[in-house]
Amino acid sequence: MELSEASRNIAGAILLTIVTIQFGGWFLTKIVRGDVPMTDFQKSFARAGHGHAGVLVILSLVGLLYVDSTSLDGFWLWVGRLGIPVAAIVMSGGFFASSAGKDRTKPNQFIWVLYAGALSLAAGVLTLGIGLITA
C-alpha cells in the first residue's frame, strides 16, 4: 500500500500534533492535582476534549491509509482525507472553548464548535466508508 504525496504530508502533520496532545495530558495532571481550579463540568469537558483529540488523531492516521485505495476524486477525496483530522482539531477545540470561563457549570455559546467538529467527523467517515465500499 502506497500513500499519495498529499496523504503522506497530512500524516506527517498529524503526527506532529501529538506533541500538543502530550501537553494536554500534562495539563490534565495539573487539573487532577487541583493546581488549576475548575468545576466538575469543566473537568469533564477537559477530559473529553483530550480524549477525543487522541482517538481522532489515531483514526485520522488509519483513514489516510485507506483513502488512497478508494475511487474518490476531487471534492469527495478531500472530504475523505481531511474530514477526520479536521474533526480532531475542531471537536477537541469545541470541548475546551465551550467550557472556558470562571466557575462555568454548562457550555457557553461556543458549543457550536463541538457540533461543527461532529459534522466534520460524520462527513469524513461516511465519505471514506462509502468510498471504500464502492471502490
Side-chain angles (χ1 to χ4, degrees):
M1 178 181 304
E2 189 171 321
L3 291 177
S4 66
E5 182 178 356
S7 291
R8 190 174 55 253
N9 288 336
I10 294 166
I14 290 169
L15 284 168
L16 295 176
T17 69
I18 292 174
V19 175
T20 65
I21 298 169
Q22 286 180 291
F23 175 78
W26 169 79
F27 187 71
L28 278 177
T29 65
K30 291 181 62 123
I31 293 170
V32 170
R33 288 191 313 257
D35 297 343
V36 179
M38 289 188 163
T39 65
D40 287 341
F41 160 74
Q42 290 171 314
K43 289 176 187 176
S44 67
F45 262 47
R47 283 191 301 270
H50 183 70
H52 278 77
V55 169
L56 292 177
V57 161
I58 293 168
L59 182 60
S60 297
L61 292 169
V62 171
L64 287 172
L65 293 174
Y66 290 114
V67 73
D68 293 325
S69 298
T70 69
S71 56
L72 296 170
D73 64 351
F75 173 78
W76 294 111
L77 174 62
W78 285 100
V79 171
R81 188 177 274 145
L82 291 177
I84 303 168
V86 166
I89 296 165
V90 177
M91 280 186 84
S92 298
F95 279 111
F96 298 124
S98 66
S99 63
K102 186 170 176 43
D103 299 326
R104 183 157 297 284
T105 58
K106 62 182 183 176
N108 63 27
Q109 71 273 17
F110 294 110
I111 192 70
W112 68 267
V113 177
L114 173 59
Y115 298 137
L119 287 174
S120 181
L121 178 61
V125 297
L126 287 171
T127 301
L128 181 54
I130 292 167
L132 287 167
I133 291 169
T134 60

